[in-house]
Amino acid sequence: MVFLKYIRLSLLPFSLLYGMIIRFRNFLFDIGKLQSHSFNVPIISVGNITVGGTGKTPLTEFIISLLKDNYHLALLSRGYKRKTKGVVLSNENSTAQDIGDEPMQVKQKFSNILVAVAEKRVDGIQAMLSSPQPPEVIIMDDAYQHRYVKPGLSILVMDFNRPLWKDCMLPAGELREPIKGKVRANIILVSKCPFSLSQQQQLNIIKKLNIATDQSVYFSSIGYQKPFSLFCTHAELKESEILKYDVLLVTGIANPAPLHQHIKDKVKSVHSIQFSDHHHFESSDIEKITAAFEKIKGTNKIIFTTEKDAVRLKQILHADDKISSHIWIIPIKIKILNNQNKEFTAKITSYVKQNKGKR
């Protein structure tokens, strides 16, 4: 920890330089020297200031579930770590390598929505609006710093465990832009909160955020859902049975600690293999996972992984592979705290209703 502290201190000059560049870029957008494009379709942006997993994808899926029955939706993402370039509109043959793991996860869950990826979001939106069935609502994932598109509703996600005011700019810290950038958000969602978060703690956070009068702050927690099998769609794992199992937890996400904490008291033992965030699994990785799984003694053993990792694992595994039938996925959903779910969803649906049909 001391060594890490000195490394961060040594990087501070670079953080100051990076912060100056980002401040100047934001200034150019603010005065109109760099142009933000508006479109005649409701656009909801979900993003963050902190790098890594803050809970954007669960929120994106929450919004899609909220709107999908009433509108033709589209998701636009950069498609982080995909193998393609430019604008790619997904189809039934798309893979995680084509569009990225998180867009692929959304496409598998919500097959009726249009999913597109593009480094230049303006090009992505233009391509979607020119498609045979243009979307009525566009959700932009991880687009808070992509200011070339002006969203109608901007939601900033902040991880409860990594508050903005305790961090600094990259590379010494984990902030993509100065904290002042939060002023562009219509809604700030504090994610990954403990269910026991007190009213006083919430008030302290709101005070620290120093929000404007036209901004709203909501708090949410992650709810882990019932595990389901990667390949055996009819298989069922009862909660009472999980206690008997030794678990190998396989993750390639930014912060697997909360998931590890969630399952450790629910199973007999937990063994972990961690890969880098968005890691593309190869044959050697499967061999490593298989060897670690076989090393666990006993017959009651299973593999747990996340939805995002499952998308990438399924690209290389086959149903008859040695470990395939042992892999179980733990999905997550967000829960808005303080009985404010109706209020939170009303802000989203009201925005869409008021702005739909302007094309």
Side-chain angles (χ1 to χ4, degrees), residues 199-216:
Q199 288 293 323
Q200 187 57 52
Q201 287 175 299
Q202 294 176 37
L203 290 172
N204 290 341
I205 291 171
I206 294 171
K207 184 178 179 181
K208 290 278 190 180
L209 284 170
N210 190 27
I211 61 170
T213 54
D214 59 345
Q215 290 180 303
S216 303

Side-chain angles (χ1 to χ4, degrees), residues 39 48 59 97 100 107 134 155 175 178 194 200 206 208 227 236 259 270 288 307 337:
F39 293 88
N48 58 13
L59 174 59
Q97 292 194 343
K107 183 62 181 175
I155 305 177
L175 299 185
Q200 187 57 52
I206 294 171
K208 290 278 190 180
E236 186 177 355
L259 178 57
V270 182
K288 180 180 178 181
E307 288 184 282
L337 302 183

Side-chain angles (χ1 to χ4, degrees), residues 230-231 250 281-290 303 305 309-329:
L230 179 64
F231 284 103
V250 177
F281 293 104
E282 299 178 353
S283 298
S284 58
D285 299 319
I286 302 304
E287 291 172 6
K288 180 180 178 181
I289 295 167
T290 303
I303 299 171
T305 193
D309 292 309
V311 168
R312 287 176 273 112
L313 281 168
K314 210 165 186 179
Q315 299 293 321
I316 192 167
L317 279 171
H318 300 93
D320 57 353
D321 285 340
K322 191 179 290 186
I323 60 171
S324 294
S325 63
H326 299 282
I327 300 177
W328 291 77
I329 303 161

Side-chain angles (χ1 to χ4, degrees), residues 58 61 109 191-193 195 220-226 259 262 266 307 330-337:
E61 293 181 352
K109 273 188 170 181
S191 65
K192 303 183 182 180
C193 299
F195 283 102
S220 69
S221 291
I222 289 292
Y224 292 97
Q225 308 299 300
K226 187 176 181 180
L259 178 57
H262 168 72
K266 300 180 183 296
E307 288 184 282
I330 302 181
I332 57 175
K333 285 185 179 180
I334 66 166
K335 177 179 174 58
I336 307 299
L337 302 183

